[in-house]
């Protein structure tokens, strides 16, 4: 493979695909290189049972009111669960401790604690106090276990590793599920972008004028390069830069690690939830086991169990069977042991050991809440950066990745002009 092009785009996830479309629209030549065998990156759906899809990565269209994939889905005829978009609202989430539902007084205490934690974090961020969330909240509370578990799933890091400023800068809004998979939606939307699959970038040479990108399949020359790979991949050194990246960029990459959030989807041969069981549940036991469960929100015979942070890394290391067992136990905590008779199979994600991402999504370290802007900053008008870690207000999301690709494409077009 030898090519000359305006922009070499590395990665065909949401950000690489949106950048490719935007640069093409602006009249530039592009070459999109993807290391894996498919497009979509962290947007990826698998069929757990005929016609029943599970998203191993993104599954909700967050910030549904402004999410660009909502109109795209509508145009493609993709079925969205717009009537379920409030599933994470505090009074919609059910709560179970040691297998029992909380009574109304306990629910009120729990919700006050959670709202109090949030208000404390927001106030600290407003004062410019960039510290670990763990330093601010009451960890002696009777509700600390579900709170820390929930935060680890949301942020892919434990609360001693999350910056108040970064956390406070994430956007709000509705969360729309997709019946047949967010990953399938991205694959359909990105299908018209020409991509060289199975082409792993090994080295980016920016020592001369322009850039030279080396892959096992050949070398590509371009005026500029746009990296959309995760910070986990950048930090691992899988891609060599010559000369090496400046220190400020390397520090930024390290200050925004790609944390771990894993999901386990369990499929059943019958509706074990019933109409009342559908929705999102936070369940925990006093032994410390906490998890979020999304049960059949779109009416399917599946439940998805969410865990994040160190617990998720530990469970991932135990292997698929341990992940399956953990998920079935948590679902049984909520819906009773009889569900075990109806389990058909599960899919257990392992994002930490996934070589193309080396983690789930980014979260800034305490003291480094403003690093996303630095991460997005180009180097020498030749090396550009996009992806979920490079955007503020929509970080760690699929539509945030999309928006970052558009932003980078426009910066590149201005530079090339
Ligand atoms: C478990 C989980 C749940 C999530 N839930 C949600 C959700 O509900 N809603 C939401 O909006 N977001 C969610 N996200 C986040 C969302 O999926 C990501 O933010 C988004 O998909 C990232 O897109 P990207 O383009 O930045 O990166 P990626 O999708 O990672 O794309 C980068 C691409 O680069 C490729 N690549 C890597 N190394 C190389 C190399 N050396 N050479 C060539 N190519 C390479 C990769 O294969 C990949 O395809 C979730 C993520 C995970 C993991």
């Amino acid at each position: 493979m030898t090519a000359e092009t305006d922009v070499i785009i590395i990665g065909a996830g949401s950000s690489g695909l949106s950048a490719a479309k935007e640069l093409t629209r602006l009249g530039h030549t592009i070459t999109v290189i993807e290391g894996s065998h498919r497009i979509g990156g962290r947007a990826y759906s698998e069929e757990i049972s005929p016609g029943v899809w599970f998203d191993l990565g993104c599954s909700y269209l967050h910030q549904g009111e402004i999410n660009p994939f909502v109109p795209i889905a509508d145009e493609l005829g993709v079925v969205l669960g717009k009537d379920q978009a409030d599933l994470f609202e505090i009074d919609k989430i059910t709560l179970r401790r040691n297998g029992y539902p909380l009574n109304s007084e306990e629910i009120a205490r729990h919700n006050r604690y959670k709202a109090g934690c949030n208000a404390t974090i927001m106030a600290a961020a407003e004062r410019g106090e960039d510290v670990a969330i763990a330093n601010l909240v009451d960890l002696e509370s009777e509700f600390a276990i579900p709170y820390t578990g929930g935060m680890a799933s949301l942020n892919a890091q434990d609360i001693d590793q999350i910056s108040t400023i970064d956390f406070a800068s994430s956007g709000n809004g509705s969360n729309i599920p997709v019946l047949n998979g967010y990953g399938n939606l991205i694959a359909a939307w990105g299908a018209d972008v020409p991509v060289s699959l199975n082409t792993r970038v090994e080295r980016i040479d920016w020592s001369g004028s322009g850039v030279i990108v080396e892959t096992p399949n050949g070398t590509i020359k371009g005026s500029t390069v746009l990296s959309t790979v995760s910070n986990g991949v950048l930090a691992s050194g899988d891609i060599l830069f010559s000369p090496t990246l400046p220190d400020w960029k390397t520090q930024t990459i390290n200050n925004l690690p790609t944390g771990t959030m894993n999901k386990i989807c369990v499929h059943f041969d019958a509706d074990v939830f019933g109409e009342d069981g559908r929705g999102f549940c936070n369940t925990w036991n006093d032994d410390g086991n906490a998890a979020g469960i999304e049960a059949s929100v779109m009416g399917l015979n599946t439940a998805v169990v969410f865990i994040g942070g160190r617990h998720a890394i530990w469970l991932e290391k135990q292997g698929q069977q341990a992940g399956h067992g953990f998920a079935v136990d948590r679902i049984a905590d909520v819906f009773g042991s009889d569900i075990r008779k109806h389990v058909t199979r599960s899919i257990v994600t392992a994002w930490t050991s996934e070589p193309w991402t080396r983690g789930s999504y980014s979260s800034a370290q305490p003291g480094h809440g403003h690093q996303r802007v630095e991460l997005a900053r180009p180097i020498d008008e030749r090396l550009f950066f996009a992806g979920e870690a490079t955007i503020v207000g929509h970080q760690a999301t699929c539509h945030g990745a999309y928006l970052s690709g558009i932003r980078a494409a426009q910066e590149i077009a201005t530079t090339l002009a």
Side-chain angles (χ1 to χ4, degrees):
M1 178 204 285
T2 314
E4 296 257 355
T5 187
D6 288 343
V7 191
I8 303 165
I9 300 175
I10 304 175
S14 173
S15 57
L17 294 169
S18 74
K21 286 179 187 246
E22 182 69 359
L23 282 160
T24 305
R25 189 184 72 77
L26 295 170
H28 293 287
T29 54
I30 52 156
T31 302
V32 186
I33 307 172
E34 168 56 50
S36 77
H37 64 285
R38 59 171 180 83
I39 66 169
R42 282 169 273 176
Y44 176 49
S45 316
E46 273 184 10
E47 215 171 12
I48 189 162
S49 168
V52 180
W53 292 89
F54 164 56
D55 278 309
L56 281 80
C58 54
S59 56
Y60 306 105
L61 289 96
H62 295 311
Q63 298 181 294
E65 296 74 7
I66 51 123
N67 188 317
F69 285 119
V70 174
I72 289 170
D74 288 344
E75 203 170 300
L76 290 170
V78 170
V79 179
L80 301 179
K82 291 183 186 172
D83 57 337
Q84 302 297 320
D86 58 355
L87 84 160
F88 293 118
E89 278 181 15
I90 199 155
D91 54 343
K92 286 266 170 172
I93 298 176
T94 54
L95 302 164
R96 291 257 177 171
R97 178 181 192 163
N98 299 326
Y100 294 99
L102 266 56
N103 65 35
S104 57
E105 234 172 68
E106 290 166 329
I107 292 172
R109 278 209 308 278
H110 168 274
N111 291 353
R112 264 201 308 279
Y113 168 72
K114 202 170 161 187
C117 291
N118 208 42
T120 308
I121 298 165
M122 292 302 169
E126 221 157 88
R127 292 192 301 273
E129 222 175 283
D130 195 356
V131 296
I133 285 174
N135 294 359
L136 297 175
V137 299
D138 172 15
L139 293 175
E140 300 294 313
S141 160
E142 61 185 319
F143 301 115
I145 293 176
Y147 178 72
T148 52
M151 288 291 277
S153 290
L154 188 63
N155 299 280
Q157 290 282 4
D158 290 298
I159 56 171
D160 57 316
Q161 299 289 316
I162 306 170
S163 144
T164 44
I165 300 269
D166 191 44
F167 177 78
S169 70
S170 5
N172 292 315
S174 60
N175 305 286
I176 305 174
V178 190
L179 177 62
N180 290 326
Y182 206 159
N184 284 336
L185 161 59
I186 299 303
W189 161 74
D192 59 349
V193 176
V195 179
S196 296
L197 296 174
N198 300 306
T199 308
R200 178 170 52 86
V201 170
E202 293 178 325
R203 188 159 169 268
I204 299 172
D205 182 342
W206 56 295
S207 57
S209 63
V211 288
I212 299 169
V213 168
E214 291 174 12
T215 79
N217 309 348
T219 295
I220 306 143
K221 289 186 181 155
S223 307
T224 58
V225 66
L226 172 62
S227 166
T228 74
V229 303
S230 75
N231 264 9
V233 170
L234 284 177
S236 72
D238 282 353
I239 300 175
L240 294 176
F241 287 83
S242 37
T244 52
L245 292 174
D247 285 351
W248 66 266
K249 184 64 91 177
T250 307
Q251 279 160 14
T252 298
I253 292 165
N254 291 331
N255 290 332
L256 273 166
T258 307
T260 299
M261 196 275 272
N262 275 325
K263 304 200 274 190
I264 301 129
C265 180
V266 183
H267 180 260
F268 299 89
D269 63 11
D271 177 4
V272 295
F273 316 106
E275 201 53 47
D276 293 346
R278 300 194 202 300
F280 199 86
C281 173
N282 277 332
T283 175
W284 71 98
N285 296 329
D286 291 341
D287 63 8
N289 271 322
I293 303 178
E294 189 223 279
S296 184
V297 163
M298 295 296 282
L300 306 171
N301 290 340
T302 55
V304 180
V305 174
F306 295 72
I307 46 163
R310 294 180 185 96
H311 187 190
I313 294 171
W314 174 82
L315 192 57
E316 185 174 323
K317 283 191 185 145
Q318 304 304 303
Q320 301 269 310
Q321 197 53 43
H324 170 92
F326 174 84
V328 172
D329 285 349
R330 298 293 76 74
I331 299 166
D333 282 347
V334 176
F335 294 99
S337 230
D338 265 10
I339 61 114
R340 296 177 193 278
K341 294 191 285 215
H342 296 283
V343 173
T344 61
R345 65 169 294 220
S346 65
I347 296 177
V348 183
T349 71
W351 285 103
T352 303
S353 43
E354 165 58 49
W356 299 115
T357 61
R358 295 186 179 270
S360 304
Y361 40 84
S362 64
S363 172
Q365 289 279 294
H368 299 284
H370 295 293
Q371 297 282 290
R372 295 184 191 275
V373 178
E374 290 299 294
L375 185 66
R377 190 145 65 92
I379 300 172
D380 203 25
E381 299 191 324
R382 274 183 296 165
L383 305 187
F384 291 81
F385 297 85
E388 56 85 11
T390 68
I391 189 153
V392 179
H394 319 278
Q395 60 256 43
T397 67
C398 187
H399 71 283
Y402 168 103
L403 294 171
S404 77
I406 304 281
R407 180 210 62 224
Q410 291 172 355
E411 281 169 3
I412 294 170
T414 306
T415 302
L416 291 176

